[in-house]
Amino acid sequence: MNTLVIGGGGFVGQYLIAELTAGGHRVHATRLPGEQIREDCTLHELDILQPEAVSALLEQLKPDWVFHLAAQSSVALSWKRPQLTADVNIKGTLNVLEAVRQLEHQPRVLLIGSGEEYGPVSCCPVGEDAPLHPGNVYAATKACQGMLGEIYAKAYRMEILCVRAFNHVGPGQAPVFVVSDFCRQTAAIELGQQDPVIRIGNLSAKRDFTDVRDVVRAYVLLAEKGVAGRVYNVGSGRAVEIRGILDQILAQSEAAISAETDPAKLRPVDVPVVEADIRRLQADTGWQPRIPLEQTIQDTLAYWRRELAK
Ligand code: A2R
């Protein structure tokens, strides 16, 4: 299978490339100039804001599958750079969809959206047919991306699947995300680089966490078996309290660590529980998460211990 990963230089990209390579795919991946990326694939430099370049690459590669991961993926940055976020996540996606539309042989396309698109949810677990109430600029652009995907799938009979990914975690994730942040702080404390106080936000929020390695396995199964035109939640289907995660991280450390609330880490509107209904994903692909959260935490902690010791 000739497979293209657009945005392969990001957190998820490296794991997706590894999963595809292990599965025997011929993998092409795009990165932005200067980005670090795995080398077990053929690399192409691509800015998705250049429509001609996107078209030229797709015409050259004629892929069977396209995973579109490239995005401005930070909620925080989306408040500060709304135009950039809309450009990359909406115009960039349109450039990809238009380029794919011109191809003679239509590839399967996975557009990666977010559980954030639902916004504050009143029912849990939240299913794909629930209304979308995006509560930030990033979420709104991802909702828009998904709508464009559904429109192109219907109007042009394109093989597009839309994913709404809930919180994913694992080694290599930026420490702006809670599990990575707590693991990084714990490793820094162990190495004497930080006072023995871990700075925390709202510990009572419950979120649906999945190991990134399970997430990319779901993406590949969706490309294989998912129904074109459909939207799929990807998550564990189980909400976990952030407090429990902190306890698990601290239990894996020998250091005596106390916790202190940092007002900067408290979100103005924190949704109490977010949990994905994953029955559609499971029914259509048979996917089950395999890596328990304890293992993800252990691996993420080990990653930060290595990184900070360098
Ligand atoms: O912003 P950078 O330098 O980290 O590059 C990101 C890249 N990217 C672009 N690629 C091509 N043309 C652009 N104009 C452009 N702008 C940004 O997309 C990065 O390498 C990649 C996205 O990776 P991450 O930010 O690490 O996101 P992650 O966690 O891998 O999530 C993958 C997908 C995204 O669509 C998220 O919104 C969704 O899953 O949750």
Side-chain angles (χ1 to χ4, degrees):
M1 199 73 79
N2 200 20
T3 299
L4 173 62
V5 179
I6 301 178
F11 168 58
V12 177
Q14 56 176 317
Y15 288 100
L16 181 58
I17 293 166
E19 178 75 16
L20 289 164
T21 308
H25 289 254
R26 201 159 350 107
V27 184
H28 294 266
T30 79
R31 63 169 175 188
L32 285 171
E35 257 188 334
Q36 293 294 316
I37 189 168
R38 301 178 62 97
E39 307 240 318
D40 48 357
C41 59
T42 309
L43 292 178
H44 306 268
E45 282 189 3
L46 180 74
D47 179 350
I48 56 167
L49 294 178
Q50 310 289 329
E52 295 82 14
V54 180
S55 286
L57 184 67
L58 279 149
E59 193 50 59
Q60 178 202 330
L61 298 178
K62 298 185 175 47
D64 301 299
W65 288 357
V66 175
F67 294 89
H68 177 40
L69 302 177
Q72 192 304 91
S73 64
S74 154
V75 171
L77 191 62
S78 78
W79 290 114
K80 294 180 192 141
R81 307 280 311 271
Q83 287 94 344
L84 172 81
T85 307
D87 280 350
V88 176
N89 296 0
I90 301 174
K91 278 193 203 161
T93 297
L94 270 175
N95 291 340
V96 171
L97 291 176
E98 275 298 305
V100 170
R101 187 167 79 81
Q102 313 295 333
L103 296 174
E104 201 175 315
H105 164 71
Q106 282 295 300
R108 301 210 104 199
V109 180
L110 244 79
L111 297 180
I112 311 300
S114 168
E116 288 271 343
E117 293 171 43
Y118 294 108
V121 285
S122 49
C123 72
C124 253
V126 61
E128 291 88 348
D129 297 327
L132 302 182
H133 296 293
N136 58 66
V137 175
Y138 165 77
T141 63
K142 286 288 172 174
C144 186
Q145 166 182 276
M147 287 174 193
L148 291 168
E150 287 186 71
I151 290 167
Y152 270 64
K154 263 202 203 104
Y156 303 116
R157 296 179 188 280
M158 288 165 66
E159 293 273 311
I160 299 166
L161 295 92
C162 297
V163 167
R164 296 193 188 124
F166 287 67
N167 303 58
H168 31 291
V169 285
Q173 188 175 36
V176 288
F177 298 95
V178 65
V179 177
S180 195
D181 176 32
F182 288 174
C183 288
R184 192 198 59 77
Q185 290 194 59
T186 304
I189 291 167
E190 289 172 349
L191 292 161
Q193 298 174 1
Q194 179 176 322
D195 297 340
V197 180
I198 199 161
R199 289 172 183 87
I200 53 168
N202 178 6
L203 289 185
S204 65
K206 288 182 164 181
R207 293 291 179 267
D208 185 319
F209 292 97
T210 312
D211 191 289
V212 62
R213 293 159 284 196
D214 279 329
V215 170
V216 298
R217 211 165 37 76
Y219 292 175
V220 175
L221 280 170
L222 280 171
E224 236 168 62
K225 302 179 176 174
V227 178
R230 273 203 180 156
V231 179
Y232 290 93
N233 284 342
V234 171
S236 71
R238 195 174 62 98
V240 178
E241 201 178 20
I242 309 284
R243 185 184 314 279
I245 293 191
L246 178 63
D247 291 345
Q248 284 190 41
I249 294 170
L250 296 184
Q252 291 191 27
S253 177
E254 305 269 286
I257 300 175
S258 58
E260 191 176 84
T261 302
D262 176 355
K265 291 186 191 287
L266 293 171
R267 295 250 189 106
V269 199
D270 223 345
V271 184
V273 186
V274 178
E275 188 173 77
D277 182 338
I278 55 168
R279 283 174 295 177
R280 185 179 292 174
L281 168 68
Q282 292 183 317
D284 287 3
T285 69
W287 177 85
Q288 291 288 348
R290 286 182 188 154
I291 304 174
L293 198 51
E294 298 74 38
Q295 183 68 49
T296 309
I297 288 171
Q298 196 176 319
D299 295 347
T300 307
L301 205 46
Y303 166 82
W304 280 115
R305 284 174 179 142
R306 281 195 308 275
E307 281 300 300
L308 297 183
K310 277 179 189 167

